[in-house]
Amino acid sequence: VVPSLAKPCRAFNLDTRIRVQSSTSVSVPNPPRINNNDGVSREKLSKQRQETESVALSQYMTLPVEQYALVPMPLNSTLSRMPGGTTSDFELVVPPVTFLWLEVQPVVHAIVTLEEDRVRIAGDRCTLRGSPFISRVRLNERFSFNVESELTWNDTFVADAGNGCGGSGNEGAYSARTGTPSLMDDDGGLGAAAEGGASTAALLSESQSELNTGPPTSAQSSTIFARTKIEVDVDVPRPFSAVPRRIIERTGDKAMQISLNYILRSFMKGLAGDYQKWAGDPEYRKYRSELALEQEQELQ
């Protein structure tokens, strides 16, 4: 049973700040092109093309958000619908994270919102599980938490078909010359990694060398992009408060950066694999459709 998600108490001084950001992308193969090389009728050719376009990446990315619960997650992490919530409420159980000598397992309540050209994931409620130390020092009341994540896509299959770009094509989060993630927000301000100081920016730079970033070079592929920012403000309890704040912040940045990179990379790999299964398996598409209908009926 997950304990109630308590808000930080005003008596606590949330003066220790952890800021991390990560961006990555994954390429997926486009459906095969249908060409009229076999002399088939125009009507049959049109039907075949419609069927192929119905499994393009844009179609998959705009499926009902509750189906994200079917995407495979790494290690002991899980992504599931929040019991008693709406179809947009999800519970993410993160693999254990170690800060100095304390191991905790975050449980995040996230809201997933589907827009025309992107999927937004946001949450400001998190509960820590694990050591009895958490309840003894009221650690779940001693921090504030915020996560913002965004999925966009560049569907070259739909774009080449003359129907416009699938999704926003928001590779704008990437440099046009280098294909690397930007540290700038959409409004032109500094991103969380830049605000976090040199240590966070350096961690982000190191982490990107391990991630598959930038748009694909082949017209045979489409791309899913992900960008995530996490902000945590903490009132550090004893005995950790004896450690200089900067050391705690740098340690927290590094631990959370490693965890975020791993989860994001694994989630994107699972998302790409799930899309390929969905695009190539009519029975799986039928199952997904029936599941969405069942979940919708449960909420009525």
Side-chain angles (χ1 to χ4, degrees):
V1 177
V2 179
S4 60
L5 300 171
K7 292 291 184 181
C9 177
R10 292 184 179 180
F12 295 125
N13 181 21
L14 309 182
D15 60 350
T16 301
R17 295 172 174 82
I18 297 172
R19 303 287 188 268
V20 295
Q21 172 174 294
S22 187
S23 301
T24 187
S25 67
V26 61
S27 298
V28 294
N30 285 334
R33 292 287 178 191
I34 303 297
N35 299 312
N36 191 11
N37 297 327
D38 300 325
V40 300
S41 67
R42 180 176 299 180
E43 181 179 353
K44 184 175 181 180
L45 180 64
S46 176
K47 182 179 179 180
Q48 290 176 337
R49 286 176 174 169
Q50 288 178 2
E51 291 175 351
T52 303
E53 290 176 11
S54 71
V55 295
L57 179 62
S58 295
Q59 300 297 324
Y60 174 80
M61 293 300 295
T62 52
L63 289 172
V65 296
E66 59 265 27
Q67 298 185 39
Y68 276 96
L70 297 174
V71 177
M73 297 295 291
L75 294 180
N76 295 324
S77 61
T78 60
L79 179 65
S80 58
R81 286 182 54 203
M82 181 73 73
T86 70
T87 55
S88 299
D89 290 289
F90 285 81
E91 179 184 89
L92 172 62
V93 180
V94 180
V97 180
T98 300
F99 294 93
L100 298 178
W101 56 88
L102 175 66
E103 183 178 88
V104 298
Q105 185 171 41
V107 180
V108 180
H109 174 207
I111 305 295
V112 183
T113 306
L114 175 63
E115 300 181 4
E116 181 181 0
D117 59 355
R118 67 196 62 216
V119 178
R120 295 187 185 275
I121 304 168
D124 62 2
R125 291 190 287 168
C126 176
T127 297
L128 301 179
R129 295 174 177 172
S131 168
F133 177 83
I134 295 173
S135 59
R136 189 164 65 244
V137 302
R138 298 164 61 191
L139 188 56
N140 278 314
E141 300 176 44
R142 303 180 79 115
F143 71 95
S144 65
F145 171 88
N146 185 70
V147 59
E148 296 179 5
S149 188
E150 185 177 84
L151 298 174
T152 55
W153 56 94
N154 182 24
D155 190 340
T156 60
F157 182 86
V158 173
D160 289 347
N163 293 330
C165 180
S168 65
N170 189 24
E171 59 274 27
Y174 295 75
S175 163
R177 291 190 301 165
T178 65
T180 55
S182 170
L183 295 182
M184 303 297 289
D185 288 331
D186 294 335
D187 59 4
L190 286 175
E195 292 176 343
S199 63
T200 306
L203 285 169
L204 180 59
S205 176
E206 291 175 4
S207 68
Q208 295 308 329
S209 65
E210 302 175 1
L211 301 177
N212 173 28
T213 56
T217 58
S218 171
Q220 303 299 318
S221 299
S222 292
T223 311
I224 308 171
F225 301 93
R227 181 172 57 177
T228 299
K229 295 192 295 184
I230 298 178
E231 299 179 355
V232 181
D233 295 338
V234 187
D235 181 299
V236 180
R238 295 179 180 180
F240 299 96
S241 56
V243 180
R245 183 190 308 168
R246 187 55 184 162
I247 293 178
I248 292 179
E249 290 180 337
R250 292 181 65 179
T251 302
D253 283 348
K254 186 172 183 179
M256 192 170 292
Q257 189 76 64
I258 292 172
S259 180
L260 173 59
N261 288 345
Y262 182 77
I263 293 172
L264 191 60
R265 181 169 56 241
S266 299
F267 174 78
M268 291 289 279
K269 181 179 179 180
L271 189 64
D274 189 67
Y275 164 67
Q276 292 180 60
K277 181 178 180 181
W278 176 86
D281 187 344
E283 289 299 316
Y284 186 55
R285 290 198 298 275
K286 180 180 178 182
Y287 164 72
R288 295 282 294 262
S289 179
E290 292 174 347
L291 179 64
L293 182 60
E294 290 176 4
Q295 293 176 337
E296 183 178 342
Q297 291 173 345
E298 289 177 4
L299 296 173
Q300 292 179 351

